Amino acid sequence: MQKLHFHTPRTGTPAKRLPVCIFPNRKTLGKTSGTQKKQTGTLKERVPVHIKKNQKNLHTGTLLQSASKKCGCPFKIRPTPAKVGSGWKIDVKCGLHNHGLPDRLEGHSFIGRLTTDEKQHVADLAKRHVAPRNILLSLQDKFPENVTRITQVYKHKSVIEKEIRGPRSEIQHLFKLIEDAGYVYWSRKQDDSEVVREIFWAHPDSVKLLNIFPIVLVMDSTYKTNKYRQPLFEIVGMTSTELTFAVGFAYMESEQTENFCWVLEKLKELFVKKDMCPQVILTDRDLALMKAIEVVFPNSINLLCRFHINKNVGAKCKQHVVNDLQKTIDTLWMEVVWASDEVEYGQRLHQLEQACVDYSGFINYVKDTWLTPHRHRFVGAWINRVLHLGNTTTNRVESAHWKLKQMLGNSIGDMVKCWEAMNNNLRLQLGNIRASFQKSFYEVEHAHVSPFYGYLRGSVSRAALRRIAEELLRVDYVGTNRQICGCTLRTSYGLPCACELGRYRVGGIPIPIDAVHVHWRKLTMEVELEIGEDDGSEVDMTAAMDELWRQFRSLDVIGKRALRSRVCELAYPTMTTLCPPPEKIKTKGGVKKKGKKPADYDVYRDPSYHEYVDKASQSSQRQSQPSQTSKKIKLSKKQPQFIVQFPNHIRSYIEDVVNVESDGNCGFRVIASLHGYGEDGWSMVRRELGLELID
């Protein structure tokens, strides 16, 4: 038996560590001999790989290559720590091999294990949502000797997540994170079950910003954020520096009026004062959400997104109007939307009607769908009188959706990962908002150094000063005439308009601070929220706790158990029995793939026109109309089988046969195909027919 005694330092090339094919466990250097024996054991089965016979996957039918490290190699060593000094004593039990030695260590499961420092490095990068491939590259840069593969990185990330969550369920861990971060949140479950129905949460700083800037809120839903397919309802606001802040998030079971009402009721509870509510709420034309706003915030003005309206009208124009007139009609429509008063609105509408005299379908759609019921929600003649602070589209919340999805990375995460992404996004957002406040305090733009802005510098946001400077350019031709001015900046933004600025200039006085709406004068969020005198009882729980104890004492044993369980749900949220939806939620939103509509898809919403108008328009252009001189179109090989199902006396008049999908909407699909919309345009046909029946 041969004995070797030499030192094996941690650094150095792999060839200097051990001149054999099996190396001692570099993770256990310095441990006792007994521990080392447990780690090494019989090492003859660790390196050589023997490929077994290919086996077939019973589920997919594909061939799988299974492997084993057992090849019967007789080589065997036993390392033990040296008694004197550092290093190891290696007893070579058998120095023979029945295979060749590897020249590289990449892919070696034993050598490729992560050290303690490497594990910590992976944990730090994983916490920042760094992709595993980038983590591996960082490991190779920081630890040149590292031969870890990406599989070990994925495994260690999984181990980290399991250690953090521990024995808690997904909802329990979510509530723990929310509690630790100080969020305000509510949830409710489905009847007779422990399945979560809706969850609403708001960051404490978001609640503070909401009460500081409550004038305008923008709301919209987005999809593909979680593996349960629950729609995410997001509410955002605007600061005095014109930055967007997230007010709250809600995962909903469905997008119906009852669900929106529950979310808006929780939003209402975020306001410190009872009588406080948003003056303007901007949404798209979601009838369920609009109805919920009327119920929960009856005093708020619900505006509609101009962008989506213009897209839908443009889509309808492409379907009904010839190409030569489309641009002209689009221009006339934009003039109607931007009309400054009701007189101009009537004139522009008359011009549009004259241009569309041959296109009754288009003009009827515009008037019946948008102008008659909703003109006061998006036409300038009406919304210019509303303090919307420049928010006439839902672009703010759409942009917030995009930033959040960039942070999420994919749509297969659970609620915990979604909350972590939202929390990280909020932290970055709040940092930008605080920085913008400081810039308005201490930085002065060169365009605002004039004494004319003397009272406003440092007291009004730079965003407001920029708008005032732009309005000041109109003074040269507006003067002090209110009729020419229109005073849109005053009514829509709360800032001095051109005629006001003209009077200040003529008088030779700086712009007074009182001429600027208080919204633009709030340049900090480090304030304590004030509670009205009449609202103090809301935070006093003395009477409620006394009543709770009285009820508890008056109940029998069963009643006490039931009451105690309900109280424990509030007192110990991390011990909740709630669970996420067991299956993917069926919500509104277009079914993207043909034939993939799930059963009982009862809350299906027709997509907007602009979502498929280009496809329908291209299909209509490609599909040539039947020639008048052609009596019959040659049928395809598959179509004659349908001809025999028609009576003989009408077969000669059949030009073509289209076999549409039989999903219960085949009649609508036929009409859509004949009009050039394609089968996927059946929902549009159904909606148009429904509107005609209502009329």
Side-chain angles (χ1 to χ4, degrees):
M1 182 179 297
Q2 184 181 7
K3 293 186 178 181
L4 300 178
H5 181 213
F6 54 89
H7 297 285
T8 57
R10 174 64 177 86
T11 58
T13 61
K16 294 180 180 179
R17 296 183 187 174
L18 284 177
V20 291
C21 67
I22 302 299
F23 303 96
N25 186 355
R26 59 174 181 155
K27 311 300 184 298
T28 57
L29 294 180
K31 292 187 178 181
T32 62
S33 176
T35 304
Q36 181 64 22
K37 291 179 181 179
K38 293 180 181 179
Q39 292 288 337
T40 57
T42 302
L43 302 179
K44 65 181 180 181
E45 301 174 357
R46 290 192 177 271
V47 176
V49 176
H50 172 67
I51 304 297
K52 291 183 179 180
K53 186 178 180 180
N54 292 345
Q55 298 178 354
K56 181 174 290 188
N57 191 321
L58 298 179
H59 298 286
T60 62
T62 58
L63 293 177
L64 297 178
Q65 287 188 341
S66 58
S68 172
K69 297 179 181 179
K70 298 180 180 181
C71 63
C73 180
F75 180 79
K76 184 177 181 181
I77 62 175
R78 186 179 297 279
T80 56
K83 295 181 179 179
V84 180
S86 60
W88 291 79
K89 182 175 66 175
I90 307 298
D91 294 339
V92 181
K93 303 297 184 181
C94 179
L96 300 178
H97 299 277
N98 63 356
H99 57 83
L101 299 181
D103 55 347
R104 300 288 297 176
L105 298 177
E106 282 79 358
H108 196 295
S109 59
F110 191 78
I111 302 300
R113 292 191 300 175
L114 296 170
T115 64
T116 303
D117 294 339
E118 291 167 351
K119 288 181 179 180
Q120 184 61 43
H121 187 65
V122 173
D124 294 339
L125 296 180
K127 186 177 180 181
R128 303 305 172 199
H129 301 281
V130 179
R133 60 179 180 273
N134 296 328
I135 294 177
L136 181 59
L137 293 173
S138 179
L139 280 174
Q140 294 174 350
D141 293 339
K142 189 172 182 179
F143 305 98
E145 298 180 18
N146 183 274
V147 292
T148 300
R149 295 290 87 199
I150 198 168
T151 303
Q152 278 81 2
V153 177
Y154 275 109
K155 288 181 179 179
H156 189 61
K157 283 187 62 178
S158 178
V159 170
I160 294 172
E161 294 176 357
K162 291 180 180 178
E163 289 178 351
I164 293 175
R165 180 171 298 188
R168 292 185 294 270
S169 66
E170 178 184 333
I171 301 299
Q172 290 174 349
H173 188 56
L174 174 65
F175 286 173
K176 181 181 184 302
L177 294 175
I178 291 176
E179 287 279 345
D180 293 343
Y183 274 65
V184 180
Y185 70 99
W186 291 272
S187 66
R188 66 172 177 170
K189 59 185 179 181
Q190 297 177 359
D191 297 337
D192 302 327
S193 71
E194 296 296 327
V195 177
V196 171
R197 188 177 181 186
E198 277 95 21
I199 297 181
F200 177 90
W201 60 67
H203 192 278
D205 288 336
S206 297
V207 175
K208 188 177 293 185
L209 286 171
L210 173 64
N211 286 273
I212 296 173
F213 305 104
I215 296 178
V216 178
L217 295 181
V218 188
M219 306 176 181
D220 192 24
S221 297
T222 186
Y223 310 92
K224 296 183 179 180
T225 61
N226 59 93
K227 65 181 182 181
Y228 307 111
R229 289 185 182 170
Q230 284 186 309
L232 175 65
F233 186 66
E234 187 171 3
I235 306 168
V236 303
M238 189 188 79
T239 66
S240 59
T241 55
E242 293 190 341
L243 292 184
T244 302
F245 68 92
V247 176
F249 301 90
Y251 276 118
M252 302 187 302
E253 179 188 43
S254 182
E255 293 181 275
Q256 298 185 8
T257 302
E258 191 270 339
N259 305 95
F260 285 122
C261 283
W262 183 86
V263 174
L264 295 181
E265 287 289 350
K266 301 311 173 186
L267 171 66
K268 192 174 184 180
E269 295 187 29
L270 297 180
F271 291 100
V272 174
K273 298 181 180 180
K274 281 184 177 180
D275 57 347
M276 184 181 293
C277 68
Q279 297 184 26
V280 174
I281 298 178
L282 189 62
T283 66
D284 57 9
R285 186 177 170 270
D286 190 330
L287 300 180
L289 176 57
M290 294 168 65
K291 185 175 181 180
I293 292 173
E294 292 179 1
V295 173
V296 182
F297 296 107
N299 298 325
S300 298
I301 300 174
N302 182 198
L303 301 184
L304 297 181
C305 176
R306 274 181 173 176
F307 173 80
H308 288 93
I309 294 174
N310 293 336
K311 291 286 286 184
N312 288 336
V313 172
K316 196 71 174 181
C317 180
K318 287 184 179 180
Q319 297 168 4
H320 287 266
V321 181
V322 295
N323 294 337
D324 297 339
L325 291 178
Q326 287 179 7
K327 188 174 182 180
T328 302
I329 291 178
D330 284 341
T331 302
L332 293 175
W333 165 255
M334 295 304 296
E335 292 178 353
V336 171
V337 173
W338 289 92
S340 58
D341 53 48
E342 296 184 28
V343 175
E344 183 181 355
Y345 167 77
Q347 295 173 352
R348 301 300 186 190
L349 179 59
H350 180 70
Q351 294 177 1
L352 180 63
E353 290 174 339
Q354 292 297 319
C356 300
V357 65
D358 296 329
Y359 306 104
S360 58
F362 171 74
I363 195 64
N364 290 337
Y365 164 78
V366 168
K367 295 172 67 175
D368 297 341
T369 305
W370 298 111
L371 294 180
T372 300
H374 301 303
R375 62 176 178 270
H376 61 286
R377 302 179 189 270
F378 69 95
V379 177
W382 285 270
I383 69 171
N384 286 344
R385 308 170 188 171
V386 177
L387 187 64
H388 54 66
L389 305 177
N391 294 278
T392 57
T393 68
T394 56
N395 289 350
R396 286 190 179 276
V397 70
E398 298 284 353
S399 176
H401 292 336
W402 180 83
K403 291 180 180 178
L404 176 59
K405 289 186 176 182
Q406 290 292 107
M407 192 70 74
L408 284 171
N410 58 60
S411 60
I412 58 175
D414 57 14
M415 291 186 180
V416 173
K417 291 184 178 180
C418 294
W419 179 88
E420 290 175 344
M422 295 174 194
N423 187 53
N424 292 334
N425 195 40
L426 278 170
R427 291 169 59 188
L428 298 175
Q429 186 182 90
L430 294 171
N432 292 334
I433 291 174
R434 290 189 176 95
S436 68
F437 289 155
Q438 296 303 312
K439 287 183 178 180
S440 294
F441 267 127
Y442 302 117
E443 295 183 8
V444 179
E445 296 183 7
H446 296 298
H448 308 145
V449 296
S450 169
F452 195 56
Y453 302 97
Y455 295 150
L456 306 184
R457 288 193 299 267
S459 301
V460 175
S461 71
R462 295 198 303 175
L465 291 177
R466 284 193 290 269
R467 293 197 177 274
I468 294 175
E470 293 174 0
E471 187 73 3
L472 193 61
L473 301 176
R474 299 179 62 229
V475 174
D476 294 336
Y477 65 91
V478 170
T480 58
N481 192 321
R482 294 176 61 90
Q483 297 296 327
I484 301 177
C485 177
C487 302
T488 301
L489 197 67
R490 165 56 63 190
T491 56
S492 299
Y493 291 83
L495 297 173
C497 57
C499 63
E500 289 184 59
L501 296 174
R503 288 193 290 270
Y504 296 141
R505 176 182 284 183
V506 171
I509 59 174
I511 304 173
I513 189 69
D514 293 338
V516 178
H517 191 278
V518 67
H519 171 87
W520 305 103
R521 289 184 270 159
K522 298 176 180 179
L523 297 177
T524 181
M525 55 184 293
E526 309 302 327
V527 296
E528 293 293 333
L529 300 179
E530 299 180 358
I531 302 176
E533 296 180 359
D534 299 335
D535 299 337
S537 60
E538 290 188 1
V539 295
D540 186 7
M541 293 184 58
T542 304
M545 295 300 294
D546 292 341
E547 178 63 21
L548 191 63
W549 276 113
R550 188 193 66 78
Q551 291 184 13
F552 184 78
R553 295 190 187 97
S554 63
L555 295 173
D556 56 11
V557 176
I558 303 301
K560 289 181 178 180
R561 289 177 181 173
L563 182 58
R564 180 181 179 277
S565 63
R566 288 157 56 190
V567 173
C568 287
E569 290 180 0
L570 299 175
Y572 309 104
T574 58
M575 303 300 292
T576 180
T577 57
L578 290 178
C579 60
E583 59 181 8
K584 295 179 179 179
I585 298 296
K586 303 164 188 174
T587 60
K588 290 193 295 188
V591 180
K592 302 301 181 185
K593 294 185 179 180
K594 182 178 178 181
K596 295 295 182 180
K597 177 179 175 181
D600 301 328
Y601 210 77
D602 55 346
V603 290
Y604 173 80
R605 179 180 61 182
D606 295 339
S608 300
Y609 281 116
H610 66 85
E611 294 178 351
Y612 54 76
V613 65
D614 293 334
K615 179 180 178 181
S617 178
Q618 294 172 2
S619 175
S620 177
Q621 293 175 2
R622 288 194 301 265
Q623 185 176 1
S624 60
Q625 297 295 331
S627 174
Q628 295 180 356
T629 59
S630 176
K631 296 183 178 180
K632 188 174 181 181
I633 299 177
K634 185 178 179 180
L635 302 178
S636 64
K637 294 181 179 179
K638 294 184 179 180
Q639 290 172 341
Q641 60 180 319
F642 300 106
I643 294 295
V644 297
Q645 300 180 19
F646 293 90
N648 294 329
H649 63 279
I650 67 173
R651 292 180 186 177
S652 59
Y653 300 98
I654 298 176
E655 295 181 346
D656 196 3
V657 176
V658 179
N659 183 21
V660 299
E661 183 180 352
S662 57
D663 61 347
N665 300 300
C666 52
F668 301 121
R669 290 182 180 274
V670 170
I671 298 175
S673 299
L674 292 176
H675 283 276
Y677 302 144
E679 281 191 47
D680 294 336
W682 66 268
S683 57
M684 180 174 57
V685 173
R686 185 182 68 175
R687 179 162 51 187
E688 291 295 324
L689 291 175
L691 292 175
E692 291 182 10
L693 291 175
I694 294 175
D695 294 339

